[in-house]
Amino acid sequence: MKQKRTHYEIYWEILTFCKTPKSFTSIINRCNLNSKIGQTHIEFLKKRHFLAEVENEGMTLLKSTEQASQYTALFNKTYRELFDDSPEFRL
Amino acid sequence: MTIKTSEKLKQEVNSFVGLALINIVFSAVAMALGISIIVPNITSIVTTQSALFPQIVLVVIGFLASAYSIKWLTSSAEMFEVSTELKEDYAKNKTLDEEAQTGLIVKMMSHYRKNKPTIKKMMWVSRIAGFCFLISGAFTIITAVINAATGVQLMDMWTQFLGAFINFAIAVAGFIIPYFFGKYTKIWDKRIEKNAEAEVEFRRQLGEE
């Protein structure tokens, strides 16, 4: 089923997934993106030095950097706080 | 905090699945009941080649109730699909470390953003269907009372009262279910609002400002 994510959420998904080096194809499959949008997001993250290219057995893979962990940590904290601090939905 | 979040996620996912399930059951019963109001009255009209005023009213109400119940059912099916998907996600990551928890929150939030119009529509459709069944129940009772006054057999009268009771039960469900979805939307709207405030910090982190 389709979802409606903000680009901050997509960045978090990409960066979390790329904690270990991943190929472009596996990123767009896992994060449910089309290649054009996936390319745009990945380029943005590379430009900001949140993603770095690494060579592995002749293949170029992408891995999130130390700088990215600050963003993912902030994201985790913010989302969990906003969930924890709001009233609970119960039947 | 991790355990608290995990427990809360479990509770919310289960409540949402429960609500979606109740919703789909009642919308299906409502649709069936709507059709069951139409069929005997149409059959009677066709057989006798004449239409009494109560029969015409019940056929019209039955058509309206069925139409809104079908819309209610299709929206319910969408909600049920979302809820089962979330439940499966939760079941896959039962240990739920911090990242998995955030991932599930992101998924719940993005599903809510996408399905908010469907939920809003469903809330109105189920209220309208509930209103149709309320009228149908009231009309059945009035007919039963008139029949009783004119000496109709007691058995028929009790059948009519039972029918009215079922109509009222569906009407109550048609009003109560939107109340719970309203509660659900209120909570998620608040979370989305808070999230929009937090995006300022994300922008700063990403160097967009």
Side-chain angles (χ1 to χ4, degrees):
Chain A
M1 172 153 278
K2 277 190 175 177
Q3 301 166 42
K4 206 171 178 181
R5 294 166 294 175
T6 64
H7 57 275
Y8 302 109
E9 289 167 350
I10 297 171
Y11 294 156
W12 175 81
E13 282 180 12
I14 295 172
L15 295 171
T16 308
F17 183 56
C18 291
K19 274 187 171 174
T20 54
K22 296 284 177 339
S23 67
F24 174 78
T25 315
S26 65
I27 297 170
I28 60 166
N29 284 338
R30 167 67 181 259
C31 300
N32 201 14
L33 301 165
N34 67 42
S35 51
K36 195 181 165 202
I37 291 174
Q39 187 67 49
T40 313
H41 288 322
I42 287 169
E43 282 306 318
F44 174 84
L45 292 169
K46 273 162 67 178
K47 222 183 264 178
R48 295 286 195 271
H49 305 290
F50 279 43
L51 271 182
E53 287 183 352
V54 288
E55 290 294 322
N56 188 351
E57 294 173 359
M59 272 177 74
T60 305
L61 302 176
L62 293 153
K63 186 179 184 303
S64 39
T65 62
E66 195 54 43
Q67 215 167 317
S69 58
Q70 288 176 12
Y71 174 75
T72 52
L74 173 75
F75 189 94
N76 278 333
K77 186 175 164 281
T78 309
Y79 268 64
R80 290 173 67 249
E81 267 176 12
L82 81 87
F83 186 76
D84 285 338
D85 298 344
S86 57
E88 185 176 324
F89 171 66
R90 262 176 194 267
L91 266 187
Chain B
M1 190 152 135
T2 307
I3 294 167
K4 187 188 157 198
T5 313
S6 179
E7 266 309 301
K8 199 170 175 180
L9 274 169
K10 185 182 167 189
Q11 190 61 50
E12 288 213 7
V13 168
N14 285 340
S15 290
F16 188 52
V17 172
L19 182 59
L21 192 65
I22 292 169
N23 194 30
I24 206 163
V25 167
F26 273 99
S27 56
V29 172
M31 188 188 72
L33 189 63
I35 293 167
S36 79
I37 294 171
I38 303 168
V39 174
N41 285 295
I42 292 262
T43 312
S44 169
I45 290 169
V46 171
T47 316
T48 58
Q49 294 287 308
S50 65
L52 299 169
F53 176 70
Q55 285 176 323
I56 295 167
V57 173
L58 282 171
V59 166
V60 171
I61 294 170
F63 267 113
L64 284 173
S66 301
Y68 282 106
S69 300
I70 289 167
K71 282 189 179 184
W72 183 11
L73 182 62
T74 49
S75 314
S76 305
E78 282 178 45
M79 282 306 103
F80 189 67
E81 193 186 347
V82 171
S83 74
T84 47
E85 198 183 311
L86 291 171
K87 186 155 181 144
E88 277 167 18
D89 263 32
Y90 182 80
K92 263 190 246 163
N93 300 292
K94 266 209 167 137
T95 49
L96 281 191
D97 59 19
E98 280 193 21
E99 252 165 34
Q101 286 177 1
T102 312
L104 192 56
I105 296 168
V106 167
K107 201 159 194 180
M108 286 167 93
M109 197 173 270
S110 56
H111 273 311
Y112 177 68
R113 278 192 209 104
K114 184 175 179 284
N115 292 300
K116 193 178 164 183
T118 310
I119 294 175
K120 295 268 177 197
K121 187 180 88 183
M122 189 183 64
M123 283 162 69
W124 277 110
V125 164
S126 66
R127 279 187 195 120
I128 295 170
F131 187 68
C132 289
F133 285 110
L134 192 70
I135 295 174
S136 169
F139 198 77
T140 310
I141 287 214
I142 293 166
T143 314
V145 169
I146 293 169
N147 285 346
T150 51
V152 172
Q153 281 185 346
L154 204 62
M155 182 64 186
D156 280 355
M157 207 177 76
W158 285 118
T159 313
Q160 281 179 315
F161 276 121
L162 181 68
F165 174 76
I166 295 169
N167 274 293
F168 287 139
I170 299 292
V172 169
F175 290 111
I176 285 181
I177 290 171
Y179 164 77
F180 283 106
F181 272 108
K183 229 170 110 176
Y184 180 78
T185 56
K186 215 173 179 180
I187 289 169
W188 278 101
D189 279 340
K190 194 87 194 154
R191 285 172 184 163
I192 289 200
E193 193 184 302
K194 271 189 173 181
N195 183 45
E197 290 165 18
E199 283 184 356
V200 177
E201 193 57 31
F202 297 154
R203 268 198 291 275
R204 203 185 55 76
Q205 266 290 335
L206 287 164
E208 285 184 331
E209 282 187 342

